[in-house]
């Protein structure tokens, strides 16, 4: 039987990964348009990716311990 965290990941991971990939694609496109790569722009994009992942965990009340246990169980 799947654990709570496995069910959450199964049903929401695709959407979250899509949001992250959109952020990364936007960052890459912006970098292509510029002659110089700004560390600030890269940092902003990385922050958006981190916030997207963090919101996912907060929304579903997932702790670091649950993630660690799910990874160990999957091995």
């Amino acid at each position: 039987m799947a654990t709570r965290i496995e069910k959450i990941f199964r049903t929401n991971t695709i959407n979250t990964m899509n949001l992250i990939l959109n952020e990364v694609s936007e960052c890459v496109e912006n970098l292509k348009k510029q002659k110089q790569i700004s560390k600030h722009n890269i940092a902003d994009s990385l922050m958006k990716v981190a916030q997207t992942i963090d919101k996912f965990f907060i929304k579903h009340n997932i702790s670091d311990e649950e993630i660690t246990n799910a990874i160990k169980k999957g091995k």
Side-chain angles (χ1 to χ4, degrees):
M1 181 171 205
T3 64
R4 180 184 81 85
I5 193 166
E6 290 168 330
K7 290 176 185 175
I8 289 169
F9 272 93
R10 198 175 297 136
T11 58
N12 294 291
T13 301
I14 292 172
N15 184 48
T16 302
M17 291 302 112
N18 184 51
L19 291 172
I20 291 169
L21 290 173
N22 288 342
E23 292 292 343
V24 171
S25 293
E26 184 180 324
C27 176
V28 170
E29 288 302 315
N30 288 338
L31 292 174
K32 284 181 181 179
K33 292 176 187 176
Q34 298 176 1
K35 292 183 180 179
Q36 277 191 316
I37 298 173
S38 165
K39 290 180 183 179
H40 181 72
N41 289 346
I42 294 171
D44 283 346
S45 294
L46 291 173
M47 182 58 77
K48 287 179 185 177
V49 169
Q51 288 172 343
T52 300
I53 295 167
D54 193 44
K55 285 178 187 176
F56 174 82
F57 291 138
I58 290 170
K59 177 181 176 184
H60 297 290
N61 197 29
I62 298 172
S63 68
D64 289 343
E65 183 179 346
E66 283 182 291
I67 293 168
T68 303
N69 290 338
I71 291 169
K72 286 179 184 176
K73 182 181 175 185
K75 287 185 178 181

